[in-house]
């Protein structure tokens, strides 16, 4: 009988029989072996990026440790906070039999295995936005993101960009272990492994099946295989992904303990998440989230492509603030919003370029709304010089508007713009807004939270959002600008004839 076969029988053994198993396994010279089932499938996977878990007790920690100690030479295990590594360190010492090779000061293990191969395992943390940059230039052939749903997507992607090795024949991989997300910020993990986790994905994938993805113009696109190809002169190498679900029932060491009963006793939706790995259960919005997720999802379900499109009423432009950001152009046709136009920051390096793209996207003399703080000032000037109907929106300015109830004011124009989108999406208002079903737009619209200061609504600043989730909600910024209802030039001429008041571009925000 093999050790794997013995492990399958563990839940049914008496204490004396378990002691005998321990003696048998003690004669096995391998320092660590994967459990049969999902853990072995993940351990032996050829995927570049492996998602593993979905439920508690499935052996996520052991898989990460086993890969680092037996298949890779330089590994980095990342969690949100460094204090969360305690259980991992304890398990590592248990597997190795001592802590002699562990350097607590450097949070690193330097260990030579029985074959004489030198291996290094580092434990890292990224509690704040920008912390990921401290690992820049430090190559690892294994990157483990423990509880990945608790980490911001941009930090994970940044660190995966440094997977590399100088050792001939050494495979580079990333392992993302996670349970179903409990907060809206963790929803990105479902999109990242959409073929396995998103019930609406058109071509679902089986556990352990390899799918290849390439990043094209800043967006993940599934491709047929891993062959490199050129896009706009750039050579793109697709990477393979897979997801392998695991549960406590896949771990014979825990089935015979009281751990399963503990999971069964959890209240819903935690019970479904931790026991069954249900990714559709219990993702809750923050109590102070500006726009509830259900409202955005309902607006996206209403959306269908339109040919021909209704007349265009407004554009919103959010300009990239760096090479990794995107310039987003949102186009509104009545209550129907078109799909976003997204351009990487490298393709919009200056004001004239952004202005040209904005003019090309404009139809029916639609007014253009652009955030003029910082980098938006230059394209605004060029649009103005090109005789476009452009409205420069300084979102930091004070607001004179009131909410729908007439009782609440706003701390600035930015807070009012966000609140107007909230009111427009509120089902009780029956506006019928239709938003394109873009995952990034969904995530951005659901990102900000708000607080009340006296009778004044204060929406979280862009800087605070970046600190909390690691990115700026740029896609949403373009769409809340596009929601503005500035009259077209022809309409304004008629208004001027009947009124001596000068035109105020913020008038539609003031009630």
């Amino acid at each position: 009988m093999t050790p794997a076969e013995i492990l399958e029988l563990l839940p049914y053994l008496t204490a004396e029989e378990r002691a005998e198993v321990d003696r048998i396994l003690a004669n096995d010279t391998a320092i660590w072996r994967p459990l049969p089932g999902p853990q072995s499938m993940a351990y032996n996977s050829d995927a570049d990026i492996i998602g593993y878990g979905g439920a508690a007790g499935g052996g996520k920690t052991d898989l990460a440790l086993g890969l680092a100690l037996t298949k890779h030479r330089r590994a980095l295990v990342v969690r949100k906070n460094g204090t969360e590594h305690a259980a991992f360190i304890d398990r590592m010492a248990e597997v190795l039999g001592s802590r002699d090779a562990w350097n607590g000061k450097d949070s690193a293990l330097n260990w030579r295995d029985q074959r004489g191969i030198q291996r290094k395992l580092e434990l890292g943390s990224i509690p704040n936005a920008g912390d990921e940059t401290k690992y820049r230039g430090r190559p690892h052939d294994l990157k483990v993101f423990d509880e990945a749903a608790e980490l911001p997507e941009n930090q994970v992607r940044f660190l995966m960009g440094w997977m590399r090795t100088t050792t001939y024949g050494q495979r580079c991989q990333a392992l993302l272990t996670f349970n179903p997300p409990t907060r809206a910020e963790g929803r990105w993990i479902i999109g990242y492994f959409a073929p396995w986790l998103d019930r609406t994905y058109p071509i679902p994938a089986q556990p352990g099946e390899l799918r290849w993805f390439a990043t094209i113009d800043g967006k993940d696109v599934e491709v047929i295989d891993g062959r490199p190809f050129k896009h706009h002169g750039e050579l793109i190498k697709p990477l393979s992904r897979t997801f392998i679900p695991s549960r406590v029932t896949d771990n014979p060491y825990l089935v015979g303990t009281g751990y399963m009963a503990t999971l069964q006793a959890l209240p819903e939706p935690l019970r479904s998440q931790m026991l069954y790995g249900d990714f559709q259960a219990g993702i809750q919005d923050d109590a102070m989230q500006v726009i509830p997720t259900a409202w955005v999802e309902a607006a996206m379900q209403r959306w269908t492509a339109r040919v021909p499109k209704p007349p265009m009423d407004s554009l919103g432009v959010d300009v990239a603030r760096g090479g990794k950001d995107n310039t987003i152009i949102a186009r509104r046709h009545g209550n129907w919003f078109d799909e976003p136009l997204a351009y990487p920051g490298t393709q919009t390096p200056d004001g004239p370029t952004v202005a040209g793209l904005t003019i090309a996207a404009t139809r029916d003399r639609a007014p253009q709304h652009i955030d003029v703080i910082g980098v938006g000032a230059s394209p605004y000037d060029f649009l103005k010089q090109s005789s476009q109907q452009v409205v420069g929106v300084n979102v930091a300015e004070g607001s004179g508007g009131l909410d729908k109830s007439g009782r609440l004011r706003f701390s600035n124009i930015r807070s009012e713009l966000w609140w107007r989108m909230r009111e427009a999406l509120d089902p009780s208002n029956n506006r019928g807004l239709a938003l394109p079903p873009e995952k990034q737009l969904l995530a951005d619209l659901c990102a900000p939270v708000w607080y009340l200061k006296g009778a004044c609504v204060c929406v979280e600043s862009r800087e605070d959002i970046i600190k909390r989730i690691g990115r700026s909600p740029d896609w949403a910024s373009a769409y809340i600008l596009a929601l503005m209802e500035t009259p077209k030039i022809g309409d304004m001429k008629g208004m001027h004839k009947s009124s001596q008041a000068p035109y105020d571009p913020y008038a539609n925000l003031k009630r």
Side-chain angles (χ1 to χ4, degrees):
M1 182 176 289
T2 66
E5 291 171 332
I6 294 173
L7 286 173
E8 291 181 341
L9 297 175
L10 277 179
Y12 313 102
L13 301 183
T14 65
E16 293 77 12
E17 289 170 334
R18 283 175 174 265
E20 178 63 21
V21 168
D22 289 339
R23 286 192 291 273
I24 293 173
L25 294 180
N27 295 323
D28 185 1
T29 57
I31 191 170
W32 183 90
R33 287 185 184 276
L35 294 170
Q39 198 176 78
S40 288
M41 185 187 296
Y43 180 80
N44 295 308
S45 176
D46 290 327
D48 298 307
I49 302 169
I50 303 168
Y52 183 78
K60 299 187 290 292
T61 297
D62 254 48
L63 174 62
L65 183 60
L67 285 169
L69 294 180
T70 64
K71 292 190 73 172
H72 292 270
R73 296 171 184 261
R74 292 182 63 90
L76 173 67
V77 181
V78 178
R79 289 206 64 156
K80 183 71 173 178
N81 298 298
T83 55
E84 297 170 338
H85 283 304
F88 190 94
I89 297 171
D90 289 342
R91 179 57 180 152
M92 178 178 62
E94 185 180 355
V95 170
L96 294 176
S98 74
R99 297 176 181 256
D100 294 343
W102 173 249
N103 185 327
K105 180 181 178 182
D106 297 332
S107 295
L109 173 77
N110 286 283
W111 175 70
R112 189 177 298 277
D113 69 12
Q114 294 173 332
R115 293 179 294 169
I117 298 177
Q118 185 69 37
R119 303 185 190 275
K120 183 172 184 178
L121 168 62
E122 298 178 68
L123 301 182
S125 62
I126 46 175
N128 304 306
D131 285 345
E132 69 276 11
T133 60
K134 64 187 177 185
Y135 299 101
R136 188 198 307 268
R138 295 166 58 183
H140 298 90
D141 50 79
L142 174 66
K143 292 281 179 71
V144 178
F145 301 92
D146 201 2
E147 301 298 346
E150 298 177 2
L151 302 172
E153 180 181 6
N154 70 308
Q155 291 182 307
V156 173
R157 287 181 179 272
F158 179 90
L159 289 171
M160 282 198 292
W162 292 97
M163 286 194 303
R164 60 196 66 186
T165 182
T166 57
T167 303
Y168 178 77
Q170 176 61 59
R171 180 68 186 274
C172 291
Q173 288 182 307
L175 172 67
L176 285 72
T177 67
F178 50 90
N179 296 323
T182 58
R183 298 288 299 275
E185 294 93 308
R187 280 191 176 96
W188 71 268
I189 204 79
I190 298 176
Y192 193 84
F193 291 102
W196 300 269
L197 303 180
D198 187 346
R199 293 175 182 173
T200 65
Y201 199 77
I203 309 176
Q206 295 299 312
E209 178 185 346
L210 266 61
R211 294 287 181 90
W212 282 264
F213 288 83
T215 302
I216 301 175
D217 296 333
K219 186 176 182 179
D220 282 356
V221 177
E222 185 175 354
V223 295
I224 190 168
D225 56 34
R227 288 178 292 182
F229 62 92
K230 283 193 173 182
H231 177 71
H232 296 324
E234 178 185 2
L235 184 65
I236 296 178
K237 174 68 170 68
L239 294 177
S240 56
R241 299 179 192 174
T242 194
F243 175 75
I244 299 166
S246 68
R247 301 179 182 177
V248 64
T249 50
D250 297 314
N251 190 340
Y253 284 105
L254 291 179
V255 168
T257 70
Y259 188 65
M260 188 168 184
T262 300
L263 296 179
Q264 290 172 334
L266 289 171
E268 290 290 1
L270 282 176
R271 185 179 190 273
S272 294
Q273 291 175 325
M274 299 299 108
L275 188 59
Y276 303 118
D278 187 346
F279 280 84
Q280 308 305 315
I283 302 179
Q284 297 182 354
D285 289 343
D286 189 292
M288 301 303 290
Q289 186 170 303
V290 176
I291 305 175
T293 304
W295 296 2
V296 182
E297 290 175 336
M300 290 184 170
Q301 290 171 1
R302 285 192 290 267
W303 192 91
T304 57
R306 293 192 179 184
V307 179
K309 299 173 184 178
M312 186 180 295
D313 292 303
S314 174
L315 286 88
V317 184
D318 187 88
V319 185
R321 286 163 172 76
K324 292 185 178 181
D325 291 336
N326 290 308
T327 290
I328 308 296
I329 299 177
R331 298 159 292 171
R332 181 174 62 82
H333 305 251
N335 282 341
W336 184 86
F337 288 78
D338 205 347
E339 295 174 295
L341 300 176
Y343 303 95
T346 53
Q347 294 182 18
T348 55
D350 50 40
T353 303
V354 175
L357 293 171
T358 302
I359 294 171
T362 303
R363 300 287 185 275
D364 306 312
R365 301 179 291 107
Q368 305 151 346
H369 303 93
I370 186 167
D371 183 350
V372 294
I373 294 179
V375 293
S378 177
Y380 168 79
D381 291 338
F382 279 96
L383 288 168
K384 200 73 173 175
Q385 293 169 11
S386 301
S387 300
Q388 299 293 306
Q389 187 184 353
V390 57
V391 178
V393 182
N394 184 342
V395 297
E397 285 185 356
S399 164
L402 297 172
D403 80 321
K404 185 182 178 183
S405 73
R407 299 188 177 192
L408 298 178
R409 297 189 176 275
F410 303 97
S411 61
N412 51 28
I413 291 291
R414 182 175 182 277
S415 294
E416 184 171 0
L417 286 171
W418 275 99
W419 207 258
R420 297 303 178 210
M421 179 62 83
R422 172 192 168 94
E423 292 177 332
L425 291 172
D426 187 340
S428 66
N429 292 334
N430 198 28
R431 284 280 300 270
L433 254 63
L435 295 171
E438 292 282 344
K439 295 186 184 301
Q440 188 62 56
L441 178 59
L442 171 66
D444 282 6
L445 283 170
C446 298
V449 295
W450 67 285
Y451 61 93
L452 200 59
K453 189 175 181 180
C456 189
V457 171
C458 305
V459 172
E460 187 179 23
S461 70
R462 181 190 295 264
E463 292 72 25
D464 286 341
I465 293 174
I466 293 173
K467 290 178 183 177
R468 181 167 54 85
I469 68 173
R471 73 173 193 280
S472 173
D474 298 328
W475 291 52
S477 297
Y479 277 76
I480 65 173
L481 287 169
L483 187 64
M484 295 180 68
E485 297 180 353
T486 301
K488 296 179 181 180
I489 290 178
D491 299 332
M492 285 192 294
K493 289 179 179 178
M495 291 168 59
H496 283 310
K497 290 179 180 179
S498 60
S499 173
Q500 298 298 319
Y503 168 63
D504 180 357
Y506 296 142
N508 64 297
L509 294 179
K510 300 174 181 178
R511 298 185 179 181

